[in-house]
Amino acid sequence: QKEVEQNSGPLSVPEGAIASLNCTYSDRGSQSFFWYRQYSGKSPELIMFIYSNGDKEDGRFTAQLNKASQYVSLLIRDSQPSDSATYLCAVNQGGSNYKLTFGKGTLLTVNP
Amino acid sequence: GAVVSQHPSRVICKSGTSVKIECRSLDFQATTMFWYRQFPKQSLMLMATSNEGSKATYEQGVEKDKFLINHASLTLSTLTVTSAHPEDSSFYICSARDARGGPGNEQFFGPGTRLTVL
């Protein structure tokens, strides 16, 4: 059973702080890793993806991947109240299998 | 770019009726689309993978005769919930993968369809 684990939270941070979201996965053969943001009642929105070890930055967001530890994280700098949402980690095994396995998500609350 | 639409956004129906949900990729061609279901406070559960011109691949435990999927073109997949019952009430979300691929094979999600069966 391929699993993706996330701390359900809620994770509460003050406005302007760095929010750190973590995810571990069980399938060592996983190739691509995604972070989606989902506001209540809405569908997921892609924030970024990463497939190489190390860091990938996009604006206030940084994804970090460590395949040896089977760990992927998302850092949100200068957190804003509008960042309050559930963050979903998703993993793809690559190749011709395009299916995503989702974690249960971490609820982030940014307090003004 | 990478816009996926779904129709309808919300539907309320009586038990025993069938409901069709459409998923369209608006600015790209999608050889592969996915159908998910999400119950309140739970994560997305993949129901099936829809491939253009071929039969859908259903996940374990999903009844293929109840959830009919058709992917007749590179921009349209439909999900029909047949003989819907209250336990089928959920948030149904489709996603699409650009046929041109991409470094991450990312999926783009539609806005979802909230189904309520009375």
Side-chain angles (χ1 to χ4, degrees):
Chain A
Q1 178 91 5
K2 299 179 175 64
E3 295 184 346
V4 178
E5 300 285 344
Q6 292 182 257
N7 188 324
S8 62
L11 173 65
S12 184
V13 301
E15 183 174 356
I18 296 175
S20 177
L21 303 160
N22 304 314
C23 172
T24 59
Y25 57 96
S26 64
D27 184 3
R28 188 170 287 278
S30 299
Q31 298 290 314
S32 304
F33 308 85
F34 303 82
W35 284 101
Y36 287 87
R37 175 173 62 195
Q38 186 174 27
Y39 292 110
S40 181
K42 304 294 185 182
S43 68
E45 170 192 9
L46 180 65
I47 297 175
M48 62 191 306
F49 66 88
I50 186 169
Y51 54 90
S52 299
N53 274 325
D55 295 359
K56 179 181 179 182
E57 186 174 319
D58 184 359
R60 295 186 297 111
F61 300 96
T62 298
Q64 299 175 317
L65 174 61
N66 183 327
K67 288 187 177 181
S69 300
Q70 295 175 236
Y71 174 93
V72 59
S73 66
L74 179 71
L75 300 178
I76 306 174
R77 289 182 298 281
D78 188 24
S79 296
Q80 301 297 309
S82 58
D83 294 326
S84 298
T86 296
Y87 288 80
L88 300 169
C89 172
V91 175
N92 170 253
Q93 279 70 53
S96 60
N97 178 357
Y98 305 119
K99 293 196 297 186
L100 293 178
T101 301
F102 280 86
K104 293 185 177 180
T106 298
L107 177 61
L108 171 66
T109 301
V110 181
N111 301 306
Chain B
V3 178
V4 178
S5 70
Q6 267 185 257
H7 179 80
S9 59
R10 185 179 295 269
V11 58
I12 300 173
C13 69
K14 293 183 178 180
S15 185
T17 60
S18 294
V19 175
K20 179 186 279 189
I21 302 170
E22 292 187 348
C23 177
R24 295 181 184 271
S25 55
L26 297 184
D27 52 0
F28 64 99
Q29 293 184 328
T31 50
T32 307
M33 291 184 172
F34 303 86
W35 287 96
Y36 295 84
R37 180 167 53 180
Q38 186 176 37
F39 292 107
K41 298 193 184 301
Q42 295 188 23
S43 190
L44 280 75
M45 297 274 306
L46 178 65
M47 299 175 67
T49 302
S50 170
N51 296 298
E52 187 267 335
S54 65
K55 290 183 179 181
T57 303
Y58 290 82
E59 294 300 298
Q60 192 172 11
V62 177
E63 300 175 60
K64 61 181 181 180
D65 294 331
K66 180 171 183 62
F67 299 99
L68 302 179
I69 292 172
N70 184 276
H71 193 155
S73 77
L74 287 172
T75 59
L76 173 64
S77 176
T78 61
L79 167 68
T80 300
V81 183
T82 62
S83 187
H85 291 286
E87 58 265 31
D88 298 321
S89 298
S90 188
F91 191 38
Y92 291 85
I93 313 171
C94 73
S95 71
R97 174 189 164 272
D98 194 323
R100 294 168 297 181
N105 286 317
E106 56 268 40
Q107 294 179 23
F108 300 97
F109 283 82
T113 297
R114 192 161 301 281
L115 171 63
T116 302
V117 184
L118 302 177

